[in-house]
Every structure is written in structure tokens, then in C-alpha cells.
Amino acid sequence: MCDFSMHLCHLACNNSTMLRVGSKVTCMACRSLVPTRTGVRFRIPLQKLHPLYRAIHHRYYGNSNSQRPPHRTAARYFTSMSRLPMRPPKPPPGSGGRSYQQKRNFWVARLAARLLKLRYILLGSAVGGGYTAKKTYDEWKDMLPDFSEYNWVIPDFVWELGEQIDLEKLSKALPEMEEIAKLLPDFDKIGENFTFIKSLLTSETSGEPPLKATDASTAASQDDKHYKKSSDKEKIDQLQEDLLRTQLKYQRMLERLEKENKELRKVVLQKDDKGIHQRKVKKSLIDLYSEVLDILSDYDANYNTHDHLPRVVVVGDQSAGKTSVLEMIAQARIFPRGSGEMMTRSPVKVTLSEGPHHVALFKDSGREFDLTKEEDLAALRHEIELRMRKSVKEGQTVSCETISLSVKGPGIQRMVLVDLPGVISTVTTGMASDTKETIFSISKAYMQNPNAIILCIQDGSVDAERSIVTDLVSQMDPHGKRTIFVLTKVDLAEKNLASPSRIQQIVEGKLFPMKALGYFAVVTGKGSSGESIDSIKDYEEDFFQNSRLLRDGMLKAHQVTTKNLSLAVSDCFWKMVRESVEQQADVFKASRFNLETEWKNNYPRLRELDRNELYEKAKNEILDEVISLSQVTPQHWEAILQKKLWERVSTHVIENIYLPAAQTMDSGTFNTTVDIKLKQWTDKQLPHKALEVAWETLQEEFARFMAEYKGKDQDDIFDKLKEAVKDESIKRHKWNERAMDSLRVIQHNALEDRSITDKPQWDAAIQFMEQTLQSRLKDTETVIKDMVGPDWKERWMNWKTRTSDQHIRNETKSELERLLKLHDEHTAYLANDEVTTVRKNLEGRAVEVDPVLIKDTWHQLYRRHFLQKALSHCNLCKRGFYYYQRHFVDSELECNDVVLFWRIQRMLVITANTLRQQLTNTEVRRLEKNVKEVLEDFGEDTEKKSQLITGRRVQLAEDLKKVREIQEKLEAFIEALHKEK
């Protein structure tokens, strides 16, 4: 009977306090209902019972103890049992001689009364419970039993549910008494059922033997004896199993409630996104905080400022499971993975926040990755890997550049975590030699922040003595005031370690020299990269449910699973944020005041333009200067092109075309030689030289405009940027290759023409020839003067002397000049016998000379002699246009060299005109396009802008902008934080 009552009482109250009787567990209420003669040898003090149980106890044992304390008035509100009719008095002692039939009827009546009593218990609990639920929160709290002695049974997180549940709203949401009455059973049908049961029990033909109280008493006695015979170890094991079962029960209840809450919040957030609530959507608290950290990361990547804002810094040895722990907290496999290979090559800042959809996105990108789709997860992992490799400079293995990632989803704990590269002990092949030191410096830079929460990850499957990160963490946080220790791969640790107590020493902080706020043990999967987060959670729960570590008490329930870890880290993170954020805001406020004061003192008349704003200003100036190229007149372009082209090709024309052809004495041979050499020159060199000249002219004009541009806002701070843009644009620019073919045809046709139509063209050709020959003669005179040294006038007037080489050259020059006077029509080259004669003559004057020196000196002397004769001939040809028209028939004057210079001059004019058209119609626009591309590329390269736009003024404006932005963001965050409180 007690077992049956026990189960029914559990339906009436789920919070009954449990005791052990033999091998069975019964509630206190049932113990109070069992008579003393059933074998139960002790009673429960009345003051420890629930009000409902006290009411039942008071009704049936009202005369057992006259000294008991009066029950609380709340019991009257809780149940109607206090108004039940009093139990009939016991029969007098002399009624013991009744017949067997009377005893049987009495037993049947007693059993029916017990059943009726249970009915009143059930009905009274239902009606009284519904009525009492409508009471205020204080009365309900007053009626609850005292569970302080059994707080150890229930995990800590169950008590924290009270902070998240509004009981006042819950009480208001319960139905009224009229609605509860509708839910009560049909009492007429219940009475009919009891009548039927009574008829069965009182039937004479029943083959069932009557139940006897002595059987229950005997069974209880045997259970007590068995309990006494059990060993202490078995008792402890049984208690631990019960404790674990209770903990798992509440864990499942909590998970079910969290799942329901997650779905409800998802629905609410989705409605907000659709605008159903018609309210302005604001950024979440964690998003505001993450923006502040992003700005700080851009402002000072090397942590030179006093950036003491809290972050959760995840550090650990390589392959210790840092990434897996982060993925379990983020509830998605978002990081690239490798078998023993270093995958985390730069810090990754992950901002976790709650949202209606499980998505991820980068700070500088608008694309959302749906974390519920495998293809999006693969794309996200690939993008993270690409960003890491891009951030690593050439010759390095890791980078200090931070990658910012935001992960949102239903039920995700709000916090900011920074995943750092794993600490290594040895640099392997393929790594930079300073990789180990770089990882240490990056880790220290993040951990030295006094408000950073250090999440120290330790691989439980390897020997603890091999750990490097614990020593590093103990150096940065020796007192463990902001460190949370996480032991990963506990399943492998339990399997491989011969002494499981070693795990207990680790999680109790007795093995490592480091100290920590808390110690956690987690399992992040079986080691397969294809496992889903849900399967890992199930595996983790099953492992700890069956693990002897938890069953034997080596681990506490609140120390296991990544779920409990994420809750603890989030609580610690927000506690640290609330304690430090206002102090950090004051620091940046003071920094802003100092910067503003410096600007007012040094740059009172200038606007505070940061580097990006200055770059935009310089960009507009450069584009204006490029556009100004289109305003250059055609005459200016052609004059510049013609002059530069002749400077480039004049040497070739004189040395390789004119002088060789002029050595011939026959006009026909002269013209033939000129035509052949001009054809070869046009086919191989001239078009290419012309395009080079055009491109150089465009560069020079572009540079001239950029240098001469003077606007009202001209600033020398842009000089370095303009020079870099000019050089890069010119480097990228390539002339249109098709222009060379068309230019070759034009030049060939121009050089083929020999028809000078009028006297002005003839005079212009003679003038061009004369200027060219005079220029060459002047250059030759300079070379000869350098060879022979100062003349007698300079030696006497300026006290200059000749060197020994110059003396030899001067003597050689004198000897060769005598030879030219004797042979005025001498060829351009000396014969060998002539060289020997000159050498012997010089030796006769005690001058030792080399034959090569004689030939070099002769070349310059003959060149001067030839140019002087050509100039004389040019003067004679000034009146030779008449003979030219008659093709020099019956004339001793032949001016074929004038025709040659006319052909060259006409080719220069036509080429300059063609190049000018290409410049103005095509190349200037292409150059402008190249400049725009270069400016766009420089604008996206932060490092490039930092190199090209420098100075204290720029840096001061940059700092001012960032500090103001940080302060404003911090103030907005603090305001939102106070509102959330």
C-alpha cells in the first residue's frame, strides 16, 4: 500500500524530499501515512514537511502528539483536507471477539477508506494547487519547503533559472478558479468506480487471499536487514548514482526549456526583422562592443595605447583543441582544419551574438554565410583560410593582423573571443625562423591586457609536462584572477591515462603551477573533421553520463561540457566588461582632450583631415592635373615631339646615313646609299624610337603639370603621393602596339618623297641642315679641345697645363693637320702606311705614340674637316633651288645632301603630327584611366597610404578621429549597458 501511495503522491508534488528505506525510496508524505506497525522504525519531524504533507499528517495523526507546533496558515489555503470529517473513534478494547466475517468486512472497509483518502489527496492537491498558484510570489515562496539541506542535489545552473523567469508574470498567466473547476473529474463516475471496486473486494467468491499488514511489515524488516548488511562502498556508489541521475534529470529539463526558449526567441526575432512590431531596430549590446574593439584594432594593431577593454583570449598549444572549443561555443564548424598542420596563422576575433538565423559575416563584407548549409560552411572556411594567407607577409609564417568575424544564432552566448595561433616549441621546415618568437609576442600582446579573460586550452590526451602554454599564462596572470582553464580530449585522457586521479589533480588546479578562476573538462568530438556540432554534443553528453570521472566524484557536474563552459565564460566576460568599461571610457576622454589641445596649438588654421580625407583631396587634384593634359595645344605637342624625336635620331642620321653616303664622289651612289639606309632604318628602328619619344613626352608633360599645378589648397604633403602615382601610372601604361605598324607606313612614305615644291621648303631644309652641321661641328671642336688640352692662351692667362697624354695628342693633331692640308680630298680613313709615316715623324720629335691613338685623333680631325666643308657647301646651295628643279642638269652644283635633310625634316613633321593625334585621341585618355586605377589601388592599400601621406599633422588628425570615434562608441555602449541592467 505504501508503494502505491508513494507513486500517487509523486503525481501531486514533484518536489517531495526523498529518504531511503531498505532498498526502496519513499517520500516523507508516504512515510507519515504508513502506520507504525508496518515495520518503519522512525518518523520524520513535522516541521520539515511540506505544508501539504503537514496538513495530511495533522488530519490522521491529530492525537498522536499534543506537543507538536501548530501548522502554518498557508496549508489551509493550499488544501481542503483540513475540512474533512474527523476520523471515527477507535473501537473499545473489549471488541476483540468478533467473527472472521466481521474482520474481513472491517478490512474491506479500511481498504475502501484508504482509497477514498487517496482520492481526497488527489482532488485536494489539484484544487488547492490551482488556487494557490494565483497567490502572490511572496506567499508562494512562504509555502515552499526548506530545501537548504538538499541544495547539493540540484546543479547550480538550476538555481540561476530564477533570475531568468518572472514568477509574477507566470502567476498572472495561470487560469482562474472557474477554469480549473472545469478541469476537475466527474465525481459521480468516480463514486461508481469505487462502488464497483468495493463490490469486488467484498465478494465471497474471490480467490485472492486477504492482504495482511504482517506481510508488509515482514518485507520492510527484510529490507532493513539487507540495507544494514550492505557495505559502505555500495552505499556511496548508490548515492552517487542517484545524484548523477538527478543531475541528468535536471540537465534534460533545462535543455528542453532552453530549446523551447530558443525557438520562441527565434520567432520573436524573426517578427522584429519583418517589422511586425513597428519599432526601430537597434544594434545589439555585443555588436556595439565589437565595433569598439574593431576600431581599436585598426587604431593600434601593436597595442601601444592603453587598450584595456575585455576580450576572451583563447590560447593553447598547437593542436590542443582551441578551434574545436570555439566551434562548440559558436555552434558551427567555421574554422579551417588540418591534420597536425598550423591552421590559425593570424588572430581571429569572433563576435558571438544572438539572432534569428545562424549566420556568419566578416566586418568588411556584406555577404552572409548560412551556417546551417554545408556549402556555406565550406565557403566560410575557405574564405578564412584565404584571409589568413593574405595577411601573412612574404617570408613569414604568422601575422598579427586581426580577422574580424561575427557569428549570430539562436541561443548563442554573447561575448567576444580572439583565437590566437597555437604556441609551438619547435620551428619546423617551411616555417620562418622567428615563428616561435612571433607567436609568443602576439599572445603576450593580447594577454597583457589586465582585463582580458584568458581561456587556457590544455590537451588532456598528452602528458601535462609537455605543455608550453601553461607557463606562458602563469607569467601573464600569476594569481589566476582572469584565467579559465579548459582540459580538452577528456575521453582520450580517461582511456589512455593509467591513473584517472591525474585528471582530478588537473581540474582541481593541483598539477600545474598556474592558477585559474575555474577549471572545465570538455570533449570536442572523436577527432573526425566531418562530425556535426549536434553529434559532438550527443557524444559529449553520453561520455560524461557514463564516465567514471563524474560517477566517482573526480569531476563536478558544473565543470563538464562546453555548454557549461560557454555559460561560465560569458558570465565572466560581462562581469569584467561592467567593471572596467567606464574606466576605459575616461581614459579615452582624457586622451581626446590632450590631442585636441595639441592640434589647436600647432595647426590652428587647418581643418582636421585624417589620412583618408587627405587622400581624397590629393586624388581630386591629381585627376584635375591629368585632365589638364587635354588642354595642351596641337602646336605645342608637335613642336615638342619634333624636337625630341630629332634629338633621339640625329646621331644615327649623321653618323650612319649622311656621313657614309657623303664619302662617295658620285651623286647617284650618294642617293642609292641614302635610300638603302633610310629603308633599313624605317623598318627596324625609327617607329620604335618615335613611340618611345611620344611616351616620354607624355610623361614629361604629365610631370610638368603635376609639378606646376598651384591651387588655393596646394599642400606639399601630397608631393610624395603624386610622385608615386605618376611613376606607377607610367609603369602600367603601354602604347598601343597597332600604332607602330601604321606609323611605319607613314614614315616610309614620307622618306620616299624627294619633291621639294617651293623655295621656302628649300630654304627651310638648308636652314635645318646648317643648324645640324653647326651643332655637330661644335660638339666635335669640344671633343678635340678635351683631347689636346688648353691652348697657349689658356695656359698663359689661366695658368693651366697639359697632361702627358694631352701633349702626345696635341703633337699627333699637329702632324695630322699637316696631312689634311696636303690632301684636302682625303678619305675618312687613314691607310696603314700613312699611320706609319705619322708615327715615325712623331718619334723623330721624341714622341712615342700608339697607332690606335693616331686613328682616334684622325677621326675627330677629319670629322671637323668634313663638317666645315659641308657647311661651305650648304652656303653654296642656298641659291641652288633653280638647279634642283632642273635636276642639276648641266650644273656643277649638286645639292643632294639638302634633299636628304629635307626628307628627314618632312618625316619629322609628319611623325610628330601622327604622334600628336595618337596622344590627344587615345593615349591621354588611357593614361587618365591608368591614373584612376592606381589611385583606386592606393586607396584600398592602407599601408601604402601610410607610407605616402606622412607627418605629425596627419598622425595627429588620425589619432583624433579614432579616439573620438572610440569614445562615442564606448558612451553608446555604456548607455545601452545601463539600460539592459
Side-chain angles (χ1 to χ4, degrees), residues 17-34:
T17 308
M18 310 298 289
L19 289 176
R20 182 174 300 279
V21 181
S23 62
K24 302 177 182 179
V25 180
T26 60
C27 66
M28 291 182 179
C30 294
R31 293 295 305 274
S32 66
L33 293 175
V34 177

Side-chain angles (χ1 to χ4, degrees), residues 20-24 31 38-42 217-230:
R20 182 174 300 279
V21 181
S23 62
K24 302 177 182 179
R31 293 295 305 274
T38 58
V40 180
R41 300 180 180 179
F42 52 86
S217 176
T218 303
S221 301
Q222 292 176 355
D223 290 341
D224 289 340
K225 292 177 182 179
H226 180 72
Y227 182 74
K228 290 178 180 180
K229 292 179 181 180
S230 62

Side-chain angles (χ1 to χ4, degrees), residues 860-913:
Q860 298 299 330
L861 293 176
Y862 181 82
R863 182 186 182 86
R864 182 180 66 178
H865 174 71
F866 174 81
L867 291 173
Q868 289 172 349
K869 288 178 62 177
L871 282 171
S872 300
H873 181 69
C874 182
N875 290 326
L876 293 175
C877 290
K878 287 181 180 180
R879 58 182 183 274
F881 180 68
Y882 170 76
Y883 300 102
Y884 164 75
Q885 289 179 326
R886 297 177 60 187
H887 304 288
F888 303 108
V889 177
D890 299 331
S891 175
E892 296 181 358
L893 182 64
E894 293 183 358
C895 297
N896 294 312
D897 48 357
V898 176
V899 177
L900 170 62
F901 277 93
W902 178 83
R903 293 165 69 182
I904 297 294
Q905 186 183 37
R906 186 168 181 272
M907 182 274 298
L908 293 175
V909 173
I910 294 175
T911 302
N913 181 267

Side-chain angles (χ1 to χ4, degrees), residues 246-261:
T246 304
Q247 291 173 340
L248 293 175
K249 173 185 174 183
Y250 283 110
Q251 180 73 26
R252 293 191 186 96
M253 290 174 60
L254 180 62
E255 290 177 354
R256 179 175 57 81
L257 292 173
E258 287 180 347
K259 185 176 181 181
E260 294 175 357
N261 184 42

Side-chain angles (χ1 to χ4, degrees), residues 624-632 637 698 701-702 705 920 924 927:
D624 290 341
E625 293 160 7
V626 175
I627 294 174
S628 64
L629 283 173
S630 60
Q631 301 175 359
V632 178
W637 279 118
L698 180 60
E701 289 298 303
F702 178 42
F705 273 95
T920 56
V924 170
L927 178 61

